[in-house]
Amino acid sequence: LGAAVSLPIIVPAVITGFIWSLPGDPASLICPPNVCGGTEALAERWNLDGGPVQFFLGWLGDAARLEFGNSWRLHQGFPVLELLETAIPTTLTLIALATAIVMLGGFGATRGWLPRRLDPFLRVIGLVPALVLALAGAALIELTFGFGSFSDTGRLARLAIGAAVLGLSDGAFTGAVLGTRTTFETESKQRYVGIAILRGEREMANTWPNVAPALIGQLRARIIHLLSGAVVVEVILRIDGLGGLLWGGTLRQDFGVVLAAATLFAVVSAVLLILQAVAETLVALHVRKAPQGVRLEEGA
């Protein structure tokens, strides 16, 4: 919970420190004096004239009210909140589809749908970076749709291929399969599982509550991995999401957009941390609860 609360504050603080660590004053970096004719008015307008602490506290207060101001350079004068409202659903859909692919791999490993003879093939797929698969996906879209690649059908194809790239590249799917299988196999070797099987109980019913916290933590880590990979996939496949917004703002030195997009990534990470804590607590309460029909001795 401490990490979840701190993340949305630490991330914009680090970015603010980076802005002021660059040579020259921030307003001159965003709009050089020889272009703008003077940066004093711009610095005052963007709250850059009072130093990093004043800027950070002012931005944080506005962000808490969902007021992110206007884009400085990427979409000059356009409200950042409207850019985020357009980008957020796209990125969340992309991550949800990729997460479904990863979870399907883990579930398939537990059910025996993905036998060990496929492991060498899965390891080879896992070695391919997102950059390579995304480039191949972009080429496939252009060859298939041509000038219609930005039609509604083309956008859906970009989203589907992007999710497949995220889910399969950089070991996401492979790690889910091998990691889940290894976790269950290690736990199934414990003595209590053998005794439960001798009593006629199912192996999964005994191992699942004890491996659930580890699997929950692995899933959160994989979703964070997908979030980081989304930047590359959205840029190459030209998907209008948070990753593309963050990349474009960085290239154009639009720190207003960068701060908002990066902070939203931090908020998603914070939410995932809280969900992990809640899920692990519920699992612990379930494990602690005595099975039905078992009575503790008096005074125990």
Side-chain angles (χ1 to χ4, degrees):
L1 290 175
V5 172
S6 302
L7 269 176
I9 299 174
I10 292 174
V11 169
V14 171
I15 296 175
T16 301
F18 174 75
I19 295 172
W20 260 266
S21 69
L22 297 172
D25 66 278
S28 297
L29 291 172
I30 298 167
C31 192
N34 61 339
V35 176
C36 298
T39 58
E40 293 81 4
L42 291 176
E44 183 178 356
R45 176 183 174 186
W46 292 329
N47 196 26
L48 297 169
D49 56 340
V53 175
Q54 175 181 314
F55 172 80
F56 171 69
L57 294 177
W59 184 89
L60 201 63
D62 291 339
R65 300 190 299 272
L66 297 180
E67 295 177 3
F68 300 101
N70 296 333
S71 172
W72 299 354
R73 294 183 66 179
L74 184 62
H75 300 281
Q76 194 169 13
F78 201 83
V80 175
L81 182 59
E82 293 187 21
L83 295 175
L84 297 176
E85 289 174 346
T86 303
I88 289 173
T90 303
T91 298
L92 289 181
T93 303
L94 180 67
I95 297 301
L97 292 174
T99 302
I101 294 174
V102 172
M103 292 180 67
L104 184 62
F107 185 75
T110 61
R111 304 299 296 178
W113 297 344
L114 298 170
R116 286 185 176 277
R117 62 176 177 271
L118 294 178
D119 287 359
F121 176 70
L122 294 176
R123 288 191 173 93
V124 171
I125 293 178
L127 292 175
V128 182
L131 177 63
V132 174
L133 283 183
L135 288 171
L140 177 63
I141 289 173
E142 294 300 329
L143 291 173
T144 303
F145 295 95
F147 291 107
S149 62
F150 287 100
S151 63
D152 292 340
T153 305
R155 289 190 180 93
L156 288 176
R158 291 178 187 276
L159 203 59
I161 291 177
V165 169
L166 274 179
L168 297 175
S169 63
D170 295 324
F173 185 82
T174 304
V177 173
L178 301 184
T180 303
R181 183 192 294 152
T182 301
T183 301
F184 271 101
E185 287 180 350
T186 302
E187 189 68 22
S188 64
K189 295 177 182 177
Q190 299 296 320
R191 184 169 178 267
Y192 78 90
V193 178
I195 295 175
I197 293 175
L198 290 175
R199 289 202 303 258
E201 300 175 6
R202 292 181 300 168
E203 180 179 323
M204 181 65 69
N206 281 272
T207 56
W208 168 248
N210 292 298
V211 302
L215 295 180
I216 292 169
Q218 289 178 20
L219 179 61
R220 184 191 66 82
R222 292 191 177 103
I223 295 176
I224 296 298
H225 176 76
L226 295 177
L227 279 172
S228 62
V231 178
V232 175
V233 171
E234 288 183 2
V235 169
I236 294 178
L237 290 174
R238 289 187 285 181
I239 298 172
D240 297 327
L242 272 179
L245 200 62
L246 178 61
W247 179 257
T250 303
L251 289 181
R252 298 294 301 273
Q253 294 183 335
D254 192 334
F255 297 118
V257 171
V258 171
L259 277 166
T263 302
L264 272 179
F265 274 108
V267 168
V268 173
S269 299
V271 170
L272 290 174
L273 276 172
I274 293 174
L275 291 177
Q276 178 184 355
V278 171
E280 290 182 355
T281 301
L282 293 175
V283 171
L285 291 173
H286 171 72
V287 172
R288 181 188 177 111
K289 184 180 179 181
Q292 186 176 4
V294 176
R295 296 182 180 276
L296 297 177
E297 296 180 5
E298 187 177 353

